């Protein structure tokens, strides 16, 4: 059976196009249009049914081996293996298709993602009722379009014509809806649900925080104290997958105050990612997250936390856990190997840049609750766009 898988793997390597991606390869199926992901270690790590159900090295893993190696036999009988130099080209066909289909697919996936709540919103005496589905759909579309509340009304007309909403709310109703505190946990649930199609792909994560500007400014006195006028901002704390840039869990806090520090939100966001059904093999973070509890938490999940140690840190453990000492020695004596894992942390910076470049880094809402909900809607829009791209690049079926 092993020889048969090797033979089929050689056929795939010769007849199919294998694409290189971060931390692995995308291998087409031999008999269908499906695609499978093979991780770098190549052993029992393919996303195909054969590997998952039988726990064996499948033909797709063998195909990658043949793709990476040019095997030749010398006259003396020795075997020479030339390794292919790894590059990371852009999957332009998938990218082009995703960009062309994005808005249409966005509306469809958003409609599927939002469940129809039973309760209704009353607009006033004698006026038709508007469901929370229609209001939530409208608020998300407003953030996606980046138009003002009045200017995006034409997009709502299009959505109503397509049957995506039953009643078209006025621009004021959408603005009032975004100021409600009760929709904040709903948005977090939708963000977690929007990331669910990529559970089989993402096993390595990175965590960090970034700031988003508001329309308000801090107090300043230029003449007397020479203090500059600066925007007030909110902090987005997020865990993202290092392969697809999907955000699995997030929290929005003020820029200052109790409970806004990075280290205090590591455990809640890691627990939320685990509760959402993701297996955590690795978690990378910068020095701001360095603590014994954080390292032990990821080890309890069956993974490894790659967090650099500060200069004045010692390897002395506290309590019964020796994870701190183990990782401290690994960091000190295997720093090159450690940094190869830690390099994946740069993907969380790319994720933040993607959100700000596509959906702006300015929060246009006036109140804190509305600003918080607006930022969560930006994350939700980002996740849906990521899912659209991955359905074209990896052939993943979208099921919310």
């Amino acid at each position: 059976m092993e020889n048969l898988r090797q033979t089929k793997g050689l056929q795939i390597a010769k007849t199919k196009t294998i694409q290189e991606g971060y931390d692995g390869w995308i291998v087409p199926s031999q008999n269908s249009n499906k695609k499978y992901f093979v991780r770098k270690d190549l052993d029992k790590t393919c996303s195909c049914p054969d590997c998952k159900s039988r726990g064996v090295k499948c033909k797709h893993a063998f195909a990658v081996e043949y793709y990476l190696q040019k095997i030749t036999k010398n006259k003396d009988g020795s075997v020479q293996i030339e390794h292919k130099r790894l590059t990371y080209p852009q999957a332009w066909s998938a990218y082009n298709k995703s960009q062309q289909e994005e808005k249409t697919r966005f509306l469809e996936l958003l409609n599927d993602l939002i469940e129809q709540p039973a309760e209704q919103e009353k607009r006033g005496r004698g006026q038709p009722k508007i469901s929370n589905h229609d209001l939530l759909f409208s608020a998300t579309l407003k953030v996606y379009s980046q138009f003002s509340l009045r200017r995006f009304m034409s997009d709502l007309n299009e959505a109503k014509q397509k049957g995506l909403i039953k009643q078209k709310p006025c621009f004021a109703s959408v603005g009032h809806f975004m100021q409600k505190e009760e929709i904040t946990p709903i948005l977090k649930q939708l963000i977690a649900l929007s990331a669910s199609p990529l559970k089989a792909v993402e096993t390595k994560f990175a965590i960090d925080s970034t700031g988003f500007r508001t329309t308000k400014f801090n107090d300043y006195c230029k003449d007397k104290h020479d203090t500059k006028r600066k925007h007030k901002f909110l902090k987005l704390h997020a865990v993202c997958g290092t392969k697809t840039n999907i955000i699995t869990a997030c929290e929005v806090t003020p820029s200052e105050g109790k409970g806004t520090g990075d280290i205090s939100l590591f455990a809640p966001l890691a627990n939320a990612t685990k509760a959402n059904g993701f297996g955590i093999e690795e978690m990378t973070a910068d020095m701001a997250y360095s603590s014994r509890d954080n390292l032990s938490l990821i080890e309890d999940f069956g993974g490894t936390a790659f967090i650099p140690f500060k200069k004045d840190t010692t390897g002395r453990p506290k309590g019964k856990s020796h994870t701190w000492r183990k990782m401290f020695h690994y960091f000190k004596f295997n720093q090159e190997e450690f940094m190869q894992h830690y390099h994946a942390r740069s993907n969380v910076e790319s994720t933040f840049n993607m959100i700000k470049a596509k959906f702006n880094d300015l929060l246009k809402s006036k109140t804190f609750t509305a600003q918080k909900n607006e930022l969560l809607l930006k994350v939700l829009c980002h996740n849906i766009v990521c899912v659209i791209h991955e359905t074209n690049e990896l052939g993943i079926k979208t099921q919310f």
Side-chain angles (χ1 to χ4, degrees):
M1 184 63 70
E2 190 81 358
N3 292 333
L4 180 59
R5 291 190 178 93
Q6 291 182 23
T7 302
K8 291 183 176 181
L10 179 60
Q11 293 174 354
I12 293 174
K14 288 182 177 180
T15 60
K16 302 289 184 178
T17 301
I18 298 175
Q19 298 177 345
E20 300 167 9
Y22 174 76
D23 201 30
W25 296 268
I26 302 167
V27 183
S29 171
Q30 190 175 19
N31 302 316
S32 68
N33 294 326
K34 293 182 179 180
K35 295 180 180 179
Y36 301 103
F37 183 78
V38 180
R39 295 179 63 87
K40 273 188 176 178
D41 51 13
L42 299 178
D43 187 22
K44 302 181 182 180
T45 53
C46 182
S47 59
C48 70
D50 186 31
C51 184
K52 286 185 175 181
S53 61
R54 296 182 177 87
V56 296
K57 189 173 180 180
C58 65
K59 59 185 178 182
H60 308 104
F62 282 115
V64 172
E65 283 191 350
Y66 287 116
Y67 169 75
L68 292 176
Q69 299 174 355
K70 181 181 178 182
I71 303 175
T72 55
K73 287 187 177 181
N74 299 323
K75 293 181 179 180
D76 57 358
S78 62
V79 177
Q80 182 179 355
I81 301 177
E82 298 178 13
H83 290 271
K84 185 181 181 69
R85 186 176 67 88
L86 297 182
T87 58
Y88 300 93
Q90 170 75 308
W92 286 110
S93 59
Y95 175 81
N96 293 335
K97 185 177 180 181
S98 299
Q99 292 296 307
Q100 295 172 42
E101 298 177 347
E102 183 181 290
K103 187 174 181 180
T104 302
R105 291 284 294 140
F106 181 90
L107 295 175
E108 294 172 353
L109 292 179
L110 177 60
N111 187 51
D112 291 340
L113 184 63
I114 303 174
E115 295 180 354
Q116 291 278 2
E119 64 272 14
Q120 303 287 322
E121 281 279 328
K122 289 186 178 180
R123 300 178 66 186
R125 180 178 296 179
Q127 293 181 335
K129 298 177 180 179
I130 303 178
S131 68
N132 282 344
H133 169 276
D134 290 351
L135 286 169
L136 190 53
F137 184 97
S138 302
T140 310
L141 182 58
K142 187 268 176 193
V143 173
Y144 175 79
S145 68
Q146 286 298 292
F147 287 152
S148 65
L149 284 169
R150 292 172 177 84
R151 290 175 61 202
F152 99 105
M153 287 292 107
S154 58
D155 288 335
L156 284 187
N157 289 330
E158 181 184 349
K160 185 178 179 182
Q161 291 174 2
K162 292 182 177 180
L164 299 173
I165 57 174
K166 293 182 179 180
Q167 295 290 335
K168 174 191 169 184
C170 68
F171 62 88
S173 297
V174 178
H176 294 153
F177 181 74
M178 292 178 65
Q179 298 179 32
K180 292 186 174 183
E181 294 183 359
E182 53 265 32
I183 71 170
T184 302
I186 296 175
L187 293 177
K188 291 181 181 179
Q189 292 174 6
L190 291 177
I191 289 171
L193 186 59
S194 64
S196 60
L198 302 180
K199 290 179 183 178
V201 178
E202 290 289 8
T203 57
K204 298 181 180 181
F205 303 90
I207 183 172
D208 206 350
S209 65
T210 188
F212 283 78
R213 296 178 297 139
T214 68
T215 55
K216 295 185 178 182
F217 294 87
N218 63 348
D219 297 329
Y220 75 106
C221 183
K222 183 177 181 181
D223 296 331
K224 187 174 181 180
H225 301 292
D226 196 29
T227 58
K228 296 181 179 179
R229 191 184 189 193
K230 296 181 180 179
H231 284 273
K232 290 185 177 180
F233 64 94
L234 268 59
K235 287 178 70 175
L236 172 66
H237 307 260
V239 174
C240 79
T242 58
K243 187 184 304 299
T244 64
N245 300 106
I246 198 79
I247 292 181
T248 58
C250 65
E251 185 61 67
V252 179
T253 66
S255 58
E256 297 176 348
K258 186 178 180 180
T260 64
D262 290 349
I263 194 169
S264 62
L265 289 166
F266 182 93
L269 293 179
N271 283 321
T273 299
K274 184 68 175 179
N276 291 342
F278 286 88
I280 302 178
E281 291 184 5
E282 292 184 10
M283 179 75 78
T284 53
D286 58 28
M287 292 182 186
Y289 296 90
S290 181
S291 78
R292 291 170 173 82
D293 291 339
N294 291 345
L295 291 179
S296 298
L297 177 64
I298 302 303
E299 187 175 57
D300 292 340
F301 292 158
T304 305
F306 291 92
I307 305 174
F309 291 83
K310 300 176 182 179
K311 291 182 179 179
D312 57 348
T313 303
T314 65
R316 182 170 57 88
K318 290 183 179 180
K320 298 180 179 180
S321 174
H322 291 275
T323 308
W324 179 265
R325 175 182 289 173
K326 179 181 69 175
M327 293 307 298
F328 177 80
H329 291 155
Y330 182 50
F331 174 72
K332 288 292 184 181
F333 302 111
N334 298 279
Q335 201 156 99
E336 183 177 351
E337 185 177 338
F338 183 96
M339 296 308 293
Q340 288 179 356
H341 292 275
Y342 178 71
H343 177 68
R345 197 202 70 83
S346 61
N347 287 277
V348 72
E349 304 291 352
S350 300
T351 301
F352 292 150
N353 184 64
M354 290 167 65
I355 298 175
K356 293 179 179 180
K358 193 174 185 69
F359 304 112
N360 208 329
D361 68 338
L362 177 65
L363 301 173
K364 301 176 183 178
S365 302
K366 305 300 181 184
T367 66
F368 172 73
T369 301
Q371 291 166 355
K372 185 176 182 178
N373 291 333
E374 182 182 352
L375 183 46
L376 291 174
L377 285 169
K378 288 179 185 286
V379 175
L380 178 61
C381 292
H382 164 79
N383 272 10
I384 296 176
V385 170
C386 286
V387 170
I388 293 171
H389 180 78
E390 298 307 325
T391 54
N392 291 322
E393 184 170 350
L394 301 180
I396 295 173
K397 291 184 178 180
T398 306
Q399 294 180 347
F400 291 129

